[in-house]
Amino acid sequence: RKTQSALAVLHRIGPLLQAPILMRQHLEAGRCTAAIKAYRRVLLIDDECNIDLLKQVKVRAAEAARDAKRDLETTLDDPGVSVSTLLNAIRDLGELNELELSSSHSHSLTSNSTTANEDEPEEPDDKKKKKKKSKPIPSPPPPKHPAPSTTCLNKQTFHF
């Protein structure tokens, strides 16, 4: 029974563990949209996860996502690319940028909320009940200078 349970767990997380390899295969075949779809699954892994195997999967998938971003930026820079390929690259690069922004935003929110709780001194239980819950600390504003890929996207969008 324990073996069957372990196999069932492996079958459930198998696609997640294979995501970085699958992303590389999609990128080599020129299917960036499919690679991004696989990357979305990996982003479900919490940054505070204590399982080394899942951490490694997330690191490898992030490397593949960076490679995809580099490939898409190269595609946008190529003057001989067809319009449909260019539009697909713009869409995929925009989606990758959104995924990176949302994952870094959620990570900053969790890190800010944990540091805020650590700074507060311990209070007796009766005071804790009376004290109102504090609002989460807002995340910092986006950087003043956009990423190169965002600048490239803006130029390409303006061009069309």
Side-chain angles (χ1 to χ4, degrees), residues 24-160:
R24 292 277 180 205
Q25 289 172 348
H26 287 309
L27 290 175
E28 289 171 5
R31 297 184 304 261
C32 281
T33 305
I36 293 169
K37 185 178 177 182
Y39 185 52
R40 280 186 179 280
R41 281 188 236 132
V42 173
L43 291 178
L44 295 175
I45 299 172
D46 187 21
D47 289 334
E48 305 299 319
C49 178
N50 294 327
I51 302 170
D52 290 335
L53 181 62
L54 293 179
K55 286 181 184 178
Q56 190 66 22
V57 166
K58 194 164 186 176
V59 167
R60 300 286 169 129
E63 290 171 3
R66 281 191 296 276
D67 291 344
K69 191 173 185 178
R70 195 175 315 114
D71 292 347
L72 289 168
E73 289 170 345
T74 302
T75 300
L76 290 177
D77 196 35
D78 186 2
V81 172
S82 70
V83 173
S84 64
T85 303
L86 191 58
L87 291 174
N88 288 338
I90 290 170
R91 182 198 64 229
D92 290 341
L93 190 54
E95 190 172 346
L96 262 179
N97 284 338
E98 286 177 21
L99 289 174
E100 287 177 354
L101 185 66
S102 66
S103 67
S104 66
H105 177 71
S106 66
H107 179 67
S108 68
L109 279 180
T110 50
S111 64
N112 283 344
S113 64
T114 56
T115 55
N117 290 341
E118 291 170 357
D119 292 340
E120 294 177 358
E122 282 291 319
E123 296 182 24
D125 287 336
D126 58 339
K127 286 188 180 180
K128 283 184 183 178
K129 290 177 186 175
K130 293 178 185 176
K131 186 177 180 182
K132 292 182 180 180
K133 291 186 179 181
S134 61
K135 295 181 180 179
I137 299 170
S139 62
K144 292 181 182 179
H145 302 289
S149 60
T150 306
T151 304
C152 188
L153 268 176
N154 290 337
K155 287 181 182 178
Q156 293 293 334
T157 305
F158 180 73
H159 182 301
F160 292 102

